[in-house]
């Protein structure tokens, strides 16, 4: 008789996000009713990439729901680096702007490096400025952790999955997710392996993972035979396959083998936006120097 597959724990970023965002909303309302201004996030979209437009819209809507004011800047795809830097310089000095987010990727003619360096580290809610990346290396709590790694960390914590002493394998070494996440998992005392496009035998590494995190954008890269029985699987990827949104993980086949898994959508995606809201609140609190009543530590 065929063995009945066990149902894994579904790590719902959607549910956890609702809970955390409700906490943020209440906290913001407390500040506002005590006479303080609202937190503010500036969002810059350059060009007309459809996926970027959706991400930006989601972020602005999420701000609205928790009472964070957003300032939306839509810039033409043919602006120069200097023009974008001028906008950022203005936002760096604006009192009511606590965080600045420049949606990536940027058009080719713009230097991403210069843009990242131009955002004031205290307003760098994406956590990409080298000062904040450095604080992640140095384990300094006052930096901003990039939103997706921060969201994953909160998701693991919420479901009682402690990376300490575990073998964490990260597939994908990108600047936004894989690399900062590897530092954060080291911070959490995991044994971390990072794989990427030049890794020769991916399966050799993924099979050893207690916690497998994939962030490549290759649809269904992670198959059932690449995952250890009982592992925890976190799927960061977002791709389109046959008109559907799918992750890096072949969810339907992998889910019968693992103890816990994130769905796509509804897993890491909402947690990334929640990470952004938490970082914006952190920037705001630091700038208006209010005593935190929050129990959620960004
Ligand atoms: P990136 O292009 O910066 O990095 C991709 C990484 O994957 C690289 O290190 C590359 O070497 C590796 N890679 C590519 N193909 C591989 C393969 N066949 N085997 C092993 N490694 C491979 O991308 P990114 O910005 O880190 O984003 C990765 C994915 O995560 C994308 O699908 C993106 O849309 C998604 N993403 C999701 C969220 C979210 O909130 N869920 C947030 C950010 C990014």
């Amino acid at each position: 008789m065929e063995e009945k597959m066990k149902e894994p724990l579904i790590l719902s970023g959607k549910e956890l996000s609702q809970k955390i965002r409700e906490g943020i909303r209440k906290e913001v309302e407390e500040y506002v009713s005590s006479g303080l201004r609202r937190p503010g996030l500036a969002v810059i979209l350059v060009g007309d990439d459809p996926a970027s437009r959706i991400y930006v819209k989601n972020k602005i809507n999420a701000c609205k729901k928790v009472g964070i004011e957003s300032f939306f800047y839509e810039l033409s795809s043919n602006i120069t680096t200097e023009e974008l830097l001028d906008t950022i310089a203005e936002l760096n000095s604006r009192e009511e702007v606590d965080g600045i987010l420049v949606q990536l990727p940027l058009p080719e003619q713009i230097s991403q490096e210069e843009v990242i360096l131009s955002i004031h580290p205290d307003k760098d809610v994406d956590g990409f400025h080298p000062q904040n990346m450095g604080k992640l290396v140095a384990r300094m709590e006052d930096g901003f952790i990039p939103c997706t790694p921060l969201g994953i960390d909160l998701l693991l914590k919420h479901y009682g999955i402690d990376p300490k002493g575990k073998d964490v394998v990260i597939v994908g070494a990108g600047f936004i997710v894989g690399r900062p996440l590897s530092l954060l998992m080291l911070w959490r005392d995991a044994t971390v392996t990072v794989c990427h496009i030049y890794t020769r035998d991916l399966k050799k590494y993924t099979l050893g993972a207690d916690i497998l995190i994939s962030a490549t954008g290759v649809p269904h890269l992670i198959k059932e035979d690449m995952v250890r029985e009982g592992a925890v699987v976190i799927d960061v990827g977002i791709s389109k396959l046959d008109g559907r949104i799918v992750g890096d993980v072949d969810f339907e086949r992998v889910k019968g083998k693992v103890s816990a898994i994130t769905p796509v959508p509804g897993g890491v995606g909402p947690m990334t936006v929640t990470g952004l809201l938490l970082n914006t609140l952190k920037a705001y609190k630091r700038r208006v120097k209010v005593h935190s009543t929050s129990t959620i530590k960004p």
Side-chain angles (χ1 to χ4, degrees):
M1 207 172 75
E2 207 178 302
E3 203 188 325
K4 208 171 162 226
M5 293 227 235
K6 285 194 301 285
E7 283 301 318
L9 176 64
I10 301 295
L11 308 174
S12 173
K14 195 175 165 192
E15 266 176 43
L16 177 58
S17 279
Q18 275 165 2
K19 197 174 147 209
I20 297 175
R21 291 183 202 184
E22 181 52 20
I24 298 173
R25 193 190 64 75
K26 284 189 179 144
E27 193 175 340
V28 168
E29 282 323 305
E30 273 176 40
Y31 297 143
V32 172
S33 52
S34 74
L36 292 165
R37 66 166 173 82
R38 290 189 180 278
L41 174 69
V43 179
I44 303 177
L45 175 66
V46 186
D48 39 26
D49 176 61
S52 292
R53 190 168 288 277
I54 293 172
Y55 295 144
V56 160
K57 201 176 122 211
N58 285 344
K59 290 168 186 176
I60 292 174
N61 281 343
C63 281
K64 198 170 178 186
K65 285 194 179 145
V66 298
I68 293 176
E69 199 164 344
S70 54
F71 308 94
F72 180 40
Y73 289 75
E74 203 175 353
L75 306 177
S76 135
S77 60
N78 50 27
I79 60 156
T80 61
T81 301
E82 285 64 37
E83 285 169 309
L84 181 51
L85 294 188
D86 284 347
T87 304
I88 294 170
E90 188 217 319
L91 294 171
N92 276 339
S93 58
R94 257 175 80 175
E95 183 51 38
E96 69 276 28
V97 171
D98 299 294
I100 302 170
L101 179 152
V102 180
Q103 185 66 40
L104 300 179
L106 289 165
E108 258 178 21
Q109 81 278 10
I110 296 179
S111 157
Q112 180 173 307
E113 204 174 295
E114 279 187 63
V115 168
I116 288 171
L117 283 169
S118 74
I119 297 173
H120 193 290
D122 289 348
K123 294 192 177 189
D124 171 40
V125 286
D126 255 338
F128 297 153
H129 190 285
Q131 184 167 313
N132 285 311
M133 286 284 187
K135 286 187 175 182
L136 189 52
V137 177
R139 300 188 174 193
M140 290 165 75
E141 297 269 0
D142 68 329
F144 293 109
I145 296 170
C147 304
T148 305
L150 174 60
I152 292 170
D153 190 47
L154 290 170
L155 193 62
L156 291 174
K157 215 171 277 171
H158 174 74
Y159 284 99
I161 301 161
D162 185 359
K164 188 173 185 167
K166 303 261 167 56
D167 291 330
V168 173
V169 177
I170 299 170
V171 186
F175 170 72
I176 293 175
V177 188
R179 259 179 284 161
L181 182 63
S182 67
L183 295 168
L184 186 57
M185 288 297 107
L186 268 179
W187 189 343
R188 301 296 179 237
D189 297 320
T191 302
V192 182
T193 306
V194 184
C195 303
H196 45 76
I197 189 89
Y198 299 111
T199 300
R200 267 182 292 159
D201 183 0
L202 189 58
K203 187 174 163 182
K204 179 174 113 187
Y205 299 97
T206 58
L207 272 177
D210 298 311
I211 301 175
L212 175 62
I213 309 175
S214 189
T216 68
V218 180
H220 293 182
L221 173 70
I222 307 297
K223 306 262 186 283
E224 190 184 2
D225 65 341
M226 295 167 75
V227 178
R228 181 198 272 186
E229 191 95 31
V232 171
V233 175
I234 308 288
D235 190 351
V236 185
I238 303 175
S239 327
K240 260 198 174 162
L241 190 67
D242 306 327
R244 277 187 318 130
I245 299 286
V246 298
D248 286 2
V249 179
D250 187 354
F251 183 89
E252 286 308 321
R253 294 197 175 78
V254 168
K255 73 174 185 187
K257 205 173 172 188
V258 298
S259 62
I261 188 165
T262 57
V264 177
V268 176
M271 290 308 297
T272 296
V273 179
T274 298
L276 172 69
L277 299 175
L278 287 168
N279 277 345
T280 305
L281 189 63
K282 182 175 178 174
Y284 164 79
K285 287 195 283 197
R286 189 188 298 159
R287 294 184 72 249
V288 300
K289 295 194 174 57
V290 289
H291 182 72
S292 169
T293 55
S294 172
T295 50
I296 307 151
K297 273 195 176 173

